[in-house]
Amino acid sequence: MTDVRVSFGEKGLPCRIAFLDETIVRVTIDPAGEFAPYARPLSPEHVTRIQAQPDESDVYAHPVAAVRDEGDALAVSAGGTEVLLAKADGRMTLRRRGRAVMREAAPVELGTGLSTQTLERAPGERIFGGGTQNGYAEQTGRVVRIVSTPMNSNQWGDGGVASPSPFFWSSVGYGVLRSTFAPGVYDLGATDGALACSHEDSVFDAYLLVAEDPGAGLRKVAQSILRAYFKVTGAPALLPDFAFYLGHLNAYNRDAWSREPREGAQEWVVRGSAPADGPGETRYELGRLRGYVVPEGHLAESLNGPDEVLVASAERYRGQTPHEFSARAVIDEHAAHDMPLGWILPNDGYGAGYGHNGYEMTGGVGADGESSPERLAAIAANVENLASFSAYANERGVEVGLWAQSQITPSPNPDVTWQNLRDFAAEVSRAGVRALKTDEEWVGEGYSFGLNATRQGHEMLFERTGQLPFVLTLDGWAGTQRYAAVWSGDQDGSGWEYVRMHVPTYIGQGLSGNPNVASDLDGIFGGNALVATRDFQWKALTPIMLDMDGWGALPKLPYAGGDPHTGICRMYLKLKSALMSYLRTCAASASCVEGWEGNDDLGLPMVRSVLLADERARGEMAEKYEFLLGDALLVAPIYRDTRADAVGNDVRDGIYLPGGPDDVWFDFFSGARHRGGQVLDGFDAPLWKLPLFVRGGSIVPRWEPHNNPRPAGPLNPRGLDRTRRVVDFWPVAGESRYVEFEDDGATAGGHVSTACSCACRDGETVLLVEPARGSYEGFEPHRCVTLRATVEGRPEAVRAWAGEKGLELVEVTSREELEDGEPAPGTAAWLFEEAPAVETWAPAGERLLAEMVAEAHGAPRVSVRFARVDVREAALRVALLG
């Protein structure tokens, strides 16, 4: 650590420069000379820090810094990084390996309650970061507000700030993380071309993050800066696998219902597999607000229907609780419509607890703030009701979370009705709660408050379960990523603006160090069946999906829209379930999981800007309205009406395919090949089809389609079978390699790595899955594995080996024949499909979707299914000749 006196004109100010690593330098200018190790929180009760560990931690290398006089400047250096301070006015220049990556255009300006750093903007420089800046992937030339949206203002539309972060980085090769909880404004070239970044803090305290090699290109710069940012603020949380499946959120313990129209009731129409223009099944909801009291004798919602746990303190509750209006029924409905569902929040709404014990009772708080035995007993009875619901959900493969609008311990406020009291420790320990969603009424103050709250929830979940926590929040800050996923706020899903805004939001949030991104499907308010269907499509290729039901004009359910909308939603939910192995591998890289080497992508987000694949990407549409999931899959959402017909069939313009003429991108559904480096206009996108492409040479590990990550069982017949694996190959000339990450999806208890490769040369294509390495508790190595390759035509010959043993190949004639059985030992089954049908997983009754895809098919494909084998011991190899 080096202390330097910096001169600003005739006045000297204390400055401390600390090299934590060669590429992480902390610079603090403190007029008081105190050099506090952490930013001052908004309240002493907020003990959570921006930093994941103190600067003195052995996480850092602490290189010895040297100070030398360069005449007009002092240079403080360690390794290949130098900080130069002009003697005349203290202006900083940051150099890496002799290359200037950051220059101050003016001295740091310190005033009463304000500190401003002004940086020169280099030609062609691009700026990213700032947290969740809705509607923006890049921040160059903008005025970015590093400030939480005022609580209850719902200013989360385009330009709104859901979760700010005092961090930005430059394509030139540097990043700046301000160690402060104070609001800020970053003018990133909007006014005069310079970058002027201010915070309402009289101390300038910043971590300067330097790319290992600033000239290595945007991808390497992004990777280097983000990993340095994570080293200071903590790696993003690796979420449990259920978090990546669809979540359903609603208030199931507050309102009344009717099968017939009633005055003031909200009409909900669910069409399921019936036609979208048909009448559907209609139900009517009464209440829908905090403080609603169910009238005596009314049908009412609950968690458990007739099995609700009720004790004496529920005497004021006079509603009837049939199964059809319960949270249990919603789980059953998803299963009946064959819709993947991973988690449910049954109390997502104001005034919705999770039981009716202590209904409309208040008081019971002593002068010391302690609750009476009767009050505590009501809480305990409601926890038992929640536990009953969790057991029901878990048996059906679904995890349970809770929504928190206020503190997560029993409130000492005697005016709080007992059915709304919380005891999160008991909810987790006794009732099996695995997730927490924090509402703006709790974390809406943001800054140190929000960061502290998410840490509390995260730690309580982990300490009491030993499992990976899932916390979903907004109003975050730098460091939030190590505890929580971030969603973009309450928005209206009525029109295309909802989709348009979210595509760049997701990209920008990932580039800000928050890879676990989320938003409500079709919004929380409003609703539009066509927009909802298109929203489902592209968000199935992103980390977190949630239906925020009960607040809009339409039910937010994947089976609400009717045929073909129901089938299209199912199609993409099933596709996501199949891709979970690939998605989890991307998540491990984004979270920099210990011991995981990644695929040259450690630290990069799951949702990746096309610029990270090709800095030559042309046009705003490429930079803002398409993205990569990992490196293999390119997603170009339908985000506006281009030339749509009455059904919603449309085209997509401006799809940029990264690379050059020698690169190949496959249409995921048709297998059509397109060269890289071009822009596709007028790309055909009928309602059922998301423009989705696969990079040539990609290897994509998959599971067989399923509905949730829990093992299959009598009450969960469509759970995940980890012993039946599929690996998809998209061969092109040359060689490619991909390493799959697999863990139990629930704990931090180790992982398995499986390397896959493809070599295509001299008329032969070789597909190889190497023996698995590593382990985790519960890993089952005896597996039935299928290797599939998209090809140009029927091969002249197919050969297969398990280890060194050649296998007898048995050709089958249909996909059903291949998938339904398992080959005998010493054999393998293989299938050639000239034109494989598009998989929708729809029942026969969804006629409209069937008609839509009837003429659609994929490119020729070869599948080889191996007999069950110990994948730790035997490599699986297929050779396609000719």
Side-chain angles (χ1 to χ4, degrees), residues 60-86:
Y60 302 113
H62 300 292
V64 176
V67 181
R68 69 178 185 277
D69 193 321
E70 290 201 349
D72 59 354
L74 287 177
V76 184
S77 63
T81 302
E82 296 175 297
V83 178
L84 280 72
L85 302 171

Side-chain angles (χ1 to χ4, degrees), residues 153 359 377 419 450 456 803 846 876:
S153 67
Y359 192 69
Q419 81 267 21
Q456 288 177 305
E846 293 178 6
L876 305 179

